[in-house]
Amino acid sequence: MVQWTDFERATIQDIFSKMDYETVGPAALSRCLVVYPWTQRYFGNFGNLYNAAAIMGNPLVAKHGQTILYSLERGVKNMDNLKDTYAELSVLHSEKLRVDPDNFKLLTDCLTIVVASRMGKAFTGEVQAALQKFLAVVVSALGRQYH
Amino acid sequence: MLSKKEKELIADIWESLTPVAEDIGADALLRMFASYPGTKTYFSHLDISPRSAHLLSHGKKIVLAIAEGAQDIGQLTVTLAPLQTLHAYQLRIDPTNFKLFSHCMLVALACHMGEDFTPVAHAAMDKYLSAFAAVLSEKYR
């Protein structure tokens, strides 16, 4: 089981309690689709992803970005049992959506960048390390049911 | 592949960062040491505590090299030739670490530039840093 230090727990709770889910989720997902365009392969039915402006303004991308972030919130509330928290979603991503699990890291890297740009100087190296550790465990949990 | 627009964007961003080269460089290094402790093994001969003289001067060196490359991206292999030799035969830093550093540099840029670090700028910068790292490791074998 993952061991969390007091600093890591407090930092994760703090970041997510102050987060604007309505904008950060869409910002992270749309950034991922712009920076790593091959990830668009999973969003064929989302309409216009033709260029950065289209992606940033796409309402389906925005809605899905929010969905992803609310799902992360579940993880924040269950830091000591991320494996079980994401078991169902892992099966979904593996069997139905067939997403290459390497893509999860691309999305979490973009989320880290979005949080960094919003928090500025407050996003210290230690805060970054804590967030990355949390996201890495979520990513690992999401990849567990792939066979 | 970098478009003409992207090359111009990258050149502009790095030119504007040259005055704060040591802050950006030191910030990126510190982030890398915090998130990826294995990277510290390459710095046992330096004092890498926050704001140390070694850290600032080393961060400055790295950022100035990246900024210099950005002024003429088409000529990266020429501009980086001496650094290629240094990294291949003396430093011998495992190239996977370049990815870790690049990621931390992107985070440092995001913290520094805030909203100005747009997805388009981010994409261009990620591509440039990947190309830079690839050229840097060309003489490894």
Side-chain angles (χ1 to χ4, degrees), chain B residues 12-55:
Chain B
D12 286 345
I13 292 177
W14 285 109
E15 206 184 315
S16 72
L17 291 175
T18 311
V20 288
E22 59 175 27
D23 297 312
I24 299 283
D27 187 28
L29 283 170
L30 273 177
R31 289 178 185 287
M32 185 180 71
F33 298 144
S35 280
Y36 313 108
T39 56
K40 290 192 282 186
T41 58
Y42 291 100
F43 294 87
S44 48
H45 61 296
L46 295 179
D47 167 17
I48 50 173
S49 53
R51 307 306 296 173
S52 78
H54 284 164
L55 189 73

Side-chain angles (χ1 to χ4, degrees), chain A residues 8-116:
Chain A
E8 286 165 345
R9 272 186 208 278
T11 300
I12 298 303
Q13 299 303 318
D14 188 56
I15 291 177
F16 280 83
S17 72
K18 296 190 173 126
M19 194 184 284
D20 178 8
Y21 286 63
E22 310 291 302
T23 57
V24 169
L29 180 60
S30 55
R31 186 170 285 251
C32 186
L33 295 171
V34 170
V35 178
Y36 309 110
W38 55 91
T39 55
Q40 293 168 25
R41 74 190 300 282
Y42 301 110
F43 297 92
N45 56 347
F46 268 43
N48 186 1
L49 300 177
Y50 190 58
N51 53 34
I55 293 170
M56 311 294 296
N58 186 310
L60 290 175
V61 171
K63 184 154 175 294
H64 198 67
Q66 285 177 7
T67 303
I68 292 173
L69 214 60
Y70 281 112
S71 169
L72 270 177
E73 190 188 34
R74 268 197 297 135
V76 174
K77 298 190 167 130
N78 289 286
M79 281 174 73
D80 291 314
N81 198 1
L82 290 169
K83 199 170 61 168
D84 289 341
T85 305
Y86 290 106
E88 223 179 285
L89 272 176
S90 180
V91 172
L92 176 77
H93 282 76
S94 151
E95 318 238 311
K96 187 156 173 272
L97 304 175
R98 299 198 194 269
V99 177
D100 179 345
D102 289 343
N103 289 293
F104 301 147
K105 184 162 189 301
L106 300 181
L107 179 59
T108 55
D109 279 351
C110 285
L111 178 60
T112 303
I113 299 270
V114 171
V115 172

Side-chain angles (χ1 to χ4, degrees), chain A residues 30-31 34-36 52 56 105 109-110 112-113 116-118 120-121 123-126 128-129 132, chain B residues 27 30-32 34-36 103-104 106-107 110-115 117-120 122-123 126:
Chain A
S30 55
R31 186 170 285 251
V34 170
V35 178
Y36 309 110
M56 311 294 296
K105 184 162 189 301
D109 279 351
C110 285
T112 303
I113 299 270
S117 66
R118 305 238 168 162
K121 279 199 150 56
F123 196 65
T124 63
E126 286 72 31
Q128 176 186 346
Q132 288 183 173
Chain B
D27 187 28
L30 273 177
R31 289 178 185 287
M32 185 180 71
S35 280
Y36 313 108
H103 170 70
C104 291
L106 291 174
V107 175
C111 287
H112 185 81
M113 294 170 66
E115 294 289 297
F117 195 56
T118 62
V120 171
H122 175 173
D126 191 23

